[in-house]
């Protein structure tokens, strides 16, 4: 891309945005970038590395991965594929929307079958990435703003869920759900924060996850790119995914925290969250609530840039 149409190679984005390519070359470039970002995001079927990594890695690595690194794949799709290669993106966008809808259902269903609770949260991340893909594929102001909102929202929620999973795992030395139970009795603060962030993850109204997913819904429904019946079908599939999310998250909470399994086990590591951990969790929880109540604060930062980006698709 830097060499094309110029004697001097250059990677200046302003020049590349205004650069036009032959249709075949643009599709090849788009497909190459798409594979790279599909691994990073991840998009099925290139997602299989993520649950294994989350299941085995230390929770600090999981936090970095879920909170920041996955979002770079979505950023690349928007900044490179969508902005620099608009004609190819217009052709590929229906496939992105279909893959996003399949990913939401597939990852949510797979998450329900995971015995390792860190892998269950990892598949939850894969499912939530489906909303970002659909927002990017909708090619609308609302949909793209919803995708950006979901990137930010899941960055807070996903990273904190792994932090809580890691702190719980450090104390009880167990990761399999059938071995767990009764953690809420010795560790009520961890239980409260874990429940709160799980509610945010399952898109409870008043929290950032709800606003982000709702805006993506509206973006898809109002997209002039798609006909009415495909939009209704994709929206129905997304709605099923939103129903499956509380099922696997609430069942995880029930298996981990309720009952009496660990209550009678003598273990000096059963200490609750200290002031430092609680301070960190509350500092992350405040923006989750803030975005849920007043999303315009975040949307106002991106709305002008999104309009400029989409002017390549719908010139005035």
């Amino acid at each position: 891309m830097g060499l094309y149409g110029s004697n001097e190679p250059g990677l200046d984005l302003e020049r590349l945005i205004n650069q036009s390519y032959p249709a075949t070359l643009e599709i090849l470039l788009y497909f190459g970038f798409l594979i790279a970002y599909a691994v990073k995001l991840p998009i099925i079927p290139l997602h299989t590395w993520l649950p294994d990594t989350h299941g085995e890695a230390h929770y600090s690595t999981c936090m970095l991965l879920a909170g920041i690194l996955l979002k770079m794949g979505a950023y690349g799709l928007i900044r490179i594929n969508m902005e620099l290669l608009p004609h190819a993106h217009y052709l590929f966008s229906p496939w992105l929307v279909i893959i996003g809808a399949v990913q939401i259902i597939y990852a949510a269903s797979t998450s329900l079958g995971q015995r390792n609770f860190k892998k269950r949260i990892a598949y939850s991340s894969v499912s939530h990435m489906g909303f970002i893909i659909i927002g990017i594929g909708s090619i609308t102001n609302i949909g793209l703003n919803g995708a950006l909102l979901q990137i930010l929202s899941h960055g807070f929620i996903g990273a904190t869920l792994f932090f809580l999973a890691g702190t719980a795992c450090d104390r009880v030395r167990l990761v399999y759900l059938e071995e767990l139970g009764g953690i809420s009795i010795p560790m009520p603060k961890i239980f409260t924060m874990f429940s709160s962030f799980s509610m945010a993850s399952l898109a409870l109204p008043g929290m950032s996850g709800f606003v982000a997913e709702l805006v993506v819904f509206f973006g898809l429904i109002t997209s002039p790119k798609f006909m009415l019946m495909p939009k209704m079908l994709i929206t129905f599939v997304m709605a099923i995914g939103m129903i499956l999310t509380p099922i696997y998250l609430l069942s995880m909470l029930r298996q981990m925290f309720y009952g009496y399994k660990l209550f009678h086990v003598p273990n000096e590591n059963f200490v609750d969250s200290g002031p430092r951990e609680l301070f960190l969790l509350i500092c992350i929880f405040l923006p989750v609530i803030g975005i849920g109540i007043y999303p315009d604060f975040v949307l106002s930062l991106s709305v002008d840039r999104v309009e400029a980006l989409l002017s390549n698709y719908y010139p005035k």
Side-chain angles (χ1 to χ4, degrees), residues 26-265:
E26 186 166 338
I27 288 169
L28 283 172
L29 288 170
Y30 186 95
F31 194 67
F33 278 120
L34 182 62
I35 290 172
Y37 297 135
V39 174
K40 185 80 170 170
L41 190 56
I43 299 173
I44 59 170
L46 304 174
H47 69 289
T48 49
W49 63 273
L50 183 70
D52 289 338
T53 306
H54 278 311
E56 301 298 329
H58 188 261
Y59 65 86
S60 57
T61 309
C62 295
M63 288 173 67
L64 190 65
L65 193 57
I68 299 170
L69 298 180
L70 298 187
K71 311 305 179 288
M72 294 297 100
Y75 176 80
L77 270 180
I78 296 168
R79 195 81 169 102
I80 307 295
N81 287 36
M82 196 171 182
E83 191 165 17
L84 270 58
L85 306 165
H87 300 98
H89 184 73
Y90 197 79
L91 292 174
F92 275 88
S93 60
W95 296 105
L96 284 178
V97 170
I98 291 166
I99 290 169
V102 171
Q103 178 161 330
I104 291 168
I105 297 291
Y106 165 78
S109 305
T110 311
S111 179
L112 194 57
Q114 299 304 308
R115 295 168 59 232
N116 183 325
F117 68 84
K118 287 168 75 178
K119 284 191 176 183
R120 183 168 289 200
I121 300 169
Y123 273 107
S124 163
S125 290
V126 177
S127 179
H128 284 97
M129 294 302 106
F131 288 97
I132 297 173
I133 300 163
I134 290 172
I136 293 169
S138 69
I139 321 183
T140 57
N141 281 343
I142 303 172
L144 191 52
N145 276 308
L148 293 170
L149 205 57
Q150 177 74 337
I151 288 170
L152 191 63
S153 168
H154 187 267
F156 286 126
I157 296 166
T160 313
L161 281 174
F162 279 111
F163 174 71
L164 286 160
T167 52
C169 184
D170 276 354
R171 287 161 166 84
V172 300
R173 303 292 178 186
L174 298 168
V175 292
Y176 291 106
L177 287 166
E178 66 266 22
E179 297 172 353
L180 291 164
I183 300 178
S184 65
I185 298 167
M187 291 183 272
K189 292 173 189 170
I190 287 180
F191 165 63
T192 302
M193 296 311 296
F194 212 123
S195 300
S196 301
F197 278 96
S198 295
M199 295 298 162
S201 183
L202 61 82
L204 190 75
M207 297 188 182
S208 59
F210 173 76
V211 180
E213 293 178 16
L214 189 67
V215 173
V216 171
F217 266 104
F218 286 138
L220 179 67
I221 291 166
T222 57
S223 176
K225 165 76 175 166
F226 305 103
M227 296 173 67
L228 180 62
M229 285 306 293
K231 285 195 285 192
M232 289 177 65
L233 184 62
I234 297 293
T235 306
F236 178 71
V237 171
M238 289 166 70
I240 293 172
M242 290 184 78
I243 293 166
L244 289 172
T245 308
I247 294 173
Y248 65 74
L249 283 172
L250 294 177
S251 69
M252 180 180 73
L253 286 176
R254 178 183 59 79
Q255 287 176 279
M256 285 179 67
F257 292 104
Y258 291 92
Y260 296 95
K261 196 172 290 183
L262 293 178
F263 185 55
H264 300 297
V265 179

